[in-house]
Amino acid sequence: MPALTDAASASHSPGASRPAGRVALVAGAVGRQGEALLGAVLSRGGYSRVHVLSDAPMALGIDRLDLCTLENLPRLDDVLMLVGQGGDPGERSFHGRDAPFVQVTGQEAAGVADAACAAGARRLLVIRPSPAWQQLGELQRALGGADELALAQLPFETVLILRPVRVGGSSGGDWLRRVVNAYMSLQFLMTPKSIPTLTSDQVARAALRAFGSSGQGIRVMLARQLAELLEPAGGAGAGR
């Protein structure tokens, strides 16, 4: 995991001071988006320790980074979670770099967040990519479905839900999955130019900026709002 090693050492270059002791849990760190999120948390999150949700605890030999299970969470301050669909091989890394990490689906998100809350976490960030057509209309800035309503009912001080554009999926899976992916690809081609498609790295950077400036309460941000956070650094780009 050379990218994570570089990210972990980036915030501890000679002369840099150590963070003040905040601890984060990164859950669902799979695929390109999960790798980008974990790398950003390590390099720019300002945490003294980062734990990644896994099936088994393990020391990776990377500064400030450990694996932990849901049953044995350490003391936490923040939880940052990538929520996937599940059942799509395209959501995982092709090279298996994310094999130690647990994927989190919408049905599992509230359970993970509840356990993190019991471990002391008071701030929750959820990245939940959605199809471009679901980005249309202000109603999408409200909580959607029982999964997100369950997250909102947990005693977090801050809940931030981000909805970047989800770009299709893999060509594998059963016939229904292939039909859905084909439909999603057509919808992506018809996406209005006003709805930006961010790269995995851009989503991760925007997520940390939004999380760092969020006050108490519940907030939902769509792709357009995430792109606005990146405008000083160059704006949105092509999907990754």
Side-chain angles (χ1 to χ4, degrees):
M1 300 180 182
L4 296 183
T5 303
D6 293 342
S9 60
S11 60
H12 292 297
S13 57
S17 58
R18 291 190 66 87
R22 294 184 63 79
V23 179
L25 172 70
V26 177
V30 302
R32 288 181 174 178
Q33 186 60 76
E35 182 178 355
L37 175 62
L38 181 54
V41 171
L42 282 170
S43 62
R44 294 188 290 270
Y47 295 103
S48 63
R49 203 82 192 162
V50 176
H51 299 271
V52 188
L53 191 63
S54 175
D55 288 323
M58 182 187 307
L60 296 176
I62 300 176
D63 187 32
R64 301 181 296 117
L65 180 63
D66 288 314
L67 302 186
C68 66
T69 64
L70 198 61
E71 295 74 24
N72 294 286
L73 294 178
R75 181 196 65 81
L76 299 171
D77 295 292
D78 298 342
V79 53
L80 303 92
M81 184 189 312
L82 172 63
V83 176
Q85 295 177 284
D88 183 357
E91 291 186 319
R92 284 280 191 175
S93 170
F94 177 77
H95 300 288
R97 291 179 301 195
D98 57 4
F101 307 146
V102 170
Q103 184 177 26
V104 178
T105 65
Q107 293 76 15
E108 299 162 337
V112 173
D114 187 33
C117 192
R122 289 297 173 260
R123 300 201 312 152
L124 170 66
L125 167 71
V126 177
I127 300 178
R128 192 169 192 177
S130 68
W133 61 270
Q134 289 186 359
Q135 301 277 333
L136 301 172
E138 289 299 310
L139 287 178
Q140 297 305 319
R141 297 186 68 175
L143 295 173
D147 301 337
E148 293 184 359
L149 290 175
L151 291 174
Q153 292 172 357
L154 295 173
F156 286 102
E157 296 175 358
T158 299
V159 176
L160 178 61
I161 299 176
L162 310 183
R163 305 195 205 279
V165 171
R166 185 175 69 237
V167 184
S170 72
S171 57
D174 57 23
W175 69 270
L176 180 59
R177 173 68 66 184
R178 291 195 294 271
V179 169
V180 170
N181 287 338
Y183 175 74
M184 296 303 301
S185 297
L186 289 174
Q187 291 294 331
F188 176 68
L189 291 175
M190 296 185 290
T191 302
K193 297 301 181 183
S194 60
I195 300 179
T197 302
L198 305 179
T199 68
S200 301
D201 288 335
Q202 286 175 322
V203 171
R205 286 194 286 116
L208 286 188
R209 290 184 184 181
F211 203 33
S213 61
S214 288
Q216 294 187 357
I218 302 170
R219 185 183 182 191
V220 178
M221 298 180 69
L222 302 181
R224 187 178 296 109
Q225 287 76 47
L226 296 179
E228 289 172 356
L229 293 175
L230 299 173
E231 286 180 354
R240 178 180 172 182

